[in-house]
């Protein structure tokens, strides 16, 4: 866990290359075709993977980085058609970045 800002909030931060978050038994409806996340820090990517941290790659959001770990930007990525039904969803973080919020839409 990391501070989202100096005043309040919580974010997650990759502690090692390829750190991941698991969201078990996530229902991805027929209209789920995109991913958005608020990230800050160094340049990197957030991968959306299905089934395991090395499972099917459903989408990748690329992040150019910000000048501060407290300056968040929204990154987006389309999701493949594999992102349907009940699946374990993994967000795999590459780079020294912080993730504040995300949505599958």
């Amino acid at each position: 866990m990391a501070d989202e800002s100096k005043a309040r909030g919580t974010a997650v931060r990759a502690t090692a290359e390829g750190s991941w978050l698991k969201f078990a038994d996530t229902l991805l409806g027929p209209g789920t075709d995109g991913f958005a996340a608020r990230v800050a820090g160094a340049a990197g990517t957030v991968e959306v993977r299905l089934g395991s941290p090395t499972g099917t790659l459903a989408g990748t959001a690329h992040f150019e980085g910000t000048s501060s770990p407290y300056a968040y930007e929204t990154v987006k990525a389309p999701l493949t058609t594999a992102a349907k039904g009940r699946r374990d969803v993994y967000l795999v973080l590459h780079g020294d970045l912080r993730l504040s919020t995300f949505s599958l839409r």
Side-chain angles (χ1 to χ4, degrees):
M1 298 299 245
D3 293 336
E4 181 180 12
S5 72
K6 291 182 180 183
R8 64 176 173 74
T10 303
V12 293
R13 179 176 173 230
T15 57
E17 178 62 20
S19 294
W20 51 266
L21 302 159
K22 177 182 179 181
F23 299 90
D25 197 29
T26 303
L27 177 58
L28 301 169
T32 306
D33 62 0
F35 168 77
R38 285 186 65 232
V39 292
T45 60
V46 181
E47 294 177 342
V48 179
R49 292 195 172 261
L50 306 174
S52 77
T54 58
T56 302
L57 180 62
T60 303
H62 298 275
F63 177 56
E64 298 299 320
T66 58
S67 61
S68 165
Y70 302 114
Y72 285 82
E73 292 182 1
T74 299
V75 294
K76 297 179 181 180
L79 296 178
T80 67
T81 57
K84 302 290 181 259
R86 286 201 175 275
R87 309 293 297 269
D88 289 345
V89 174
Y90 289 78
L91 301 183
V92 182
L93 308 177
H94 296 281
D96 186 17
L97 54 83
R98 294 175 182 218
L99 173 73
S100 172
T101 61
F102 77 95
S103 64
L104 298 167
R105 45 181 176 62

